[in-house]
Amino acid sequence: MRTIRVETSAATILLTEAPEPKVRDRQSGEIAKDAVSGEALMTLGVVYIEEGESSLIKVTVPESGVSEGLALGAPVSLPGLIARPWESVFNGQQRHGIAFRAAAVTPAAFPATVGASA
């Protein structure tokens, strides 16, 4: 499936949900693992703000990519952010969406506001 790199340099990204283990199977509680490395995966929620528009998205990161010092409502950086379209059939219903994945989540600073004076 095709992946699309997401350019984040002009965006403000705020953490809205703390990272928690990504569950692969809700009935058994099995944690999702990276297909290549076997590392446990985590999901987190962010609000992605760019050019006056915002979107709430869920992002998957490897457990080792979750940095210390993350705080809800604080800006974060998502290096290597990609979007991957998906579709599946579940209980006879066709579903589709976009999955987001990043190499890491790290604390960031708020961007300087345009026209701000010191």
Side-chain angles (χ1 to χ4, degrees):
M1 180 71 64
R2 173 120 172 100
T3 61
I4 303 161
R5 274 188 238 140
V6 179
E7 174 58 49
T8 61
S9 63
T12 298
I13 305 169
L14 306 175
L15 186 65
T16 58
E17 294 178 32
E20 56 186 45
K22 181 174 184 172
V23 178
R24 176 185 167 116
D25 183 335
R26 291 183 185 166
Q27 290 192 359
S28 70
E30 178 187 359
I31 302 301
K33 307 259 188 219
D34 182 271
V36 175
S37 70
E39 183 175 3
L41 298 173
M42 307 289 282
T43 59
L44 55 112
V46 299
V47 62
Y48 185 96
I49 307 165
E50 187 175 19
E51 296 182 2
E53 294 187 19
S54 64
S55 298
L56 289 170
I57 62 173
K58 293 271 192 183
V59 180
T60 300
V61 297
E63 189 172 33
S64 65
V66 177
S67 296
E68 295 291 323
L70 298 174
L72 291 180
V76 293
S77 175
L78 296 169
L81 182 63
I82 60 166
R84 178 178 290 135
W86 62 268
E87 62 180 52
S88 67
V89 176
F90 183 73
N91 286 338
Q93 298 286 332
Q94 183 148 2
R95 300 176 48 176
H96 57 88
I98 300 173
F100 293 91
R101 182 147 177 185
V105 56
T106 61
F110 280 106
T113 55
V114 176
S117 58

